Amino acid sequence: MPSLLYMGSMDFLIMNGAGNRFAVFDARKALDFALSDEQVKAICAPGSAAMGPLGADQLLVLRPPKSPEADIFMEIRNQSGSEVDACGNATRCVAWLVMEETGEAAATVQTNAALLAATRTGPLSIAVDMGEPRLDWSQIPLKEPMHTHHVDVKLGPIDNPVLSNPGAVSMGNPHVVFFVEDFETVKPHLAGPMVEFHPLFPEQTNVGFARIDGPKNIRLKVWERDAGLTQACGTGACAAVVAAHRQKRADRDVQVDVDGGTLHIHWRESDNHVILSGPVELEGRGTL
Ligand SMILES: N[C@H](CCC[C@H](N)C(=O)O)C(=O)O
């Protein structure tokens, strides 16, 4: 199979998972390839020469696997350059690239947090096993011990009943999920950054706003840590279903509609793993 991937290390692919947009650099043959936070920021910024008006939510660097069980290692950098340990939609996109390269219908992607097994569910759709949700306060992490199915986030001046009793979940990255009636009242772009940097979250947090449209239907918007409002957030969709089910607001098998499309989450009762499924798209190539 001709490699879709290997290009000069200053070339890259532009991909998205349900609209969550990525710049993907293949450094498997350029082992000394590294990008500073400033370089990542410049590449990802909306309007950049590299990524155009939409910019990129995250930048991915593909490297040789560090585990014999993995096909590839994925380094994940947020729009501002920070390195993070989990990105569900990126995992699905990279798994698709590996499957296109190998001709297999399965692939294992390694991140700092985990080995993630993915399977092809269609020509342009991939399911990934995101593993078990981490639900102890210290795993989110939170600043102090508390139950995580309802978290007491005092928001001060914007305290209002609409933003009460969120749930906290880690999928290898921190999430807090609020349950809202409508997005006009809540204004995620205003509330998001206030919660992202709330002192309760020593590593900051991704902030989900979930409207429960039924036991199997959630409409979700996510203010992502270090990236802002994105078209989709894979770990955010996982966290929303886990938090909703824990508060008895939704089932374990849920369709999650996001601005950029539809994701499907199944929090499996048999092994407590969360399966994230959805579309992938290869938009094109870029070069620096
Ligand atoms: N902003 C997230 C990383 C990307 C998560 C999201 N793009 C996904 O698909 O899971 C964080 O700082 O934890």
Side-chain angles (χ1 to χ4, degrees):
M1 278 287 285
S3 164
L4 263 177
L5 280 156
Y6 188 66
M7 310 150 275
S9 58
M10 299 316 267
D11 295 348
F12 58 93
L13 295 179
I14 302 171
M15 293 197 77
N16 77 75
N20 200 185
R21 205 158 187 257
F22 310 109
V24 187
F25 288 80
D26 182 7
R28 288 179 294 176
K29 294 175 185 160
L31 301 184
D32 56 350
F33 179 78
L35 291 170
S36 69
D37 286 2
E38 288 318 306
Q39 286 174 310
V40 172
K41 209 179 285 185
I43 292 164
C44 293
S48 73
M51 291 300 296
L54 294 177
D57 303 321
Q58 280 83 33
L59 183 149
L60 314 174
V61 182
L62 308 182
R63 300 188 186 283
K66 299 174 183 172
S67 156
E69 294 164 64
D71 295 298
I72 200 163
F73 182 89
M74 176 175 74
E75 173 188 324
I76 309 161
R77 306 283 288 274
N78 270 323
Q79 205 174 72
S80 75
S82 64
E83 183 168 0
V84 289
D85 296 345
C87 182
N89 285 321
T91 304
R92 295 189 308 98
C93 287
V94 169
W96 180 86
L97 287 172
V98 173
M99 291 180 212
E100 289 293 300
E101 199 172 68
T102 62
E104 301 294 329
T108 298
V109 178
Q110 182 179 14
T111 67
N112 285 337
L115 289 174
L116 301 167
T119 53
R120 188 188 281 276
T121 49
L124 286 169
S125 63
I126 300 289
V128 60
D129 180 343
M130 294 299 289
E132 297 186 65
R134 292 73 149 179
L135 300 174
D136 185 77
W137 71 272
S138 61
Q139 294 176 303
I140 306 300
L142 301 178
K143 183 181 70 173
E144 59 203 64
M146 65 177 72
H147 290 301
T148 57
H149 55 296
H150 282 97
V151 171
D152 183 12
V153 183
K154 288 271 168 287
L155 289 177
I158 67 161
D159 257 355
N160 66 50
V162 170
L163 283 179
S164 59
N165 283 335
V169 177
S170 170
M171 292 304 301
N173 58 348
H175 288 268
V176 63
V177 183
F178 292 89
F179 298 99
V180 301
E181 295 302 320
D182 70 74
F183 298 113
E184 289 63 45
T185 318
V186 169
K187 296 185 176 47
H189 60 291
L190 298 179
M194 297 183 87
V195 179
E196 174 186 1
F197 296 100
H198 191 285
L200 181 59
F201 306 101
E203 295 174 10
Q204 293 73 62
T205 186
N206 298 284
V207 189
F209 301 91
R211 188 187 71 206
I212 305 291
D213 292 342
K216 292 187 169 303
N217 284 87
I218 291 178
R219 177 71 172 88
L220 179 69
K221 286 181 182 282
V222 180
W223 175 270
E224 283 199 32
R225 175 177 63 171
D226 244 353
L229 270 182
T230 58
Q231 290 289 296
C233 179
T235 51
C238 297
V241 172
V242 170
H245 188 67
R246 294 180 84 204
Q247 292 192 15
K248 301 188 180 358
R249 295 173 184 262
D251 290 354
R252 285 173 167 269
D253 212 332
V254 180
Q255 175 177 306
V256 180
D257 294 315
V258 292
D259 290 351
T262 296
L263 298 172
H264 189 270
I265 305 295
H266 180 194
W267 182 15
R268 245 181 349 220
E269 196 149 17
S270 56
D271 61 1
N272 194 35
H273 283 213
V274 185
I275 313 300
L276 160 67
S277 313
V280 298
E281 183 183 357
L282 172 58
E283 293 183 30
R285 292 171 184 273
T287 187
L288 294 183

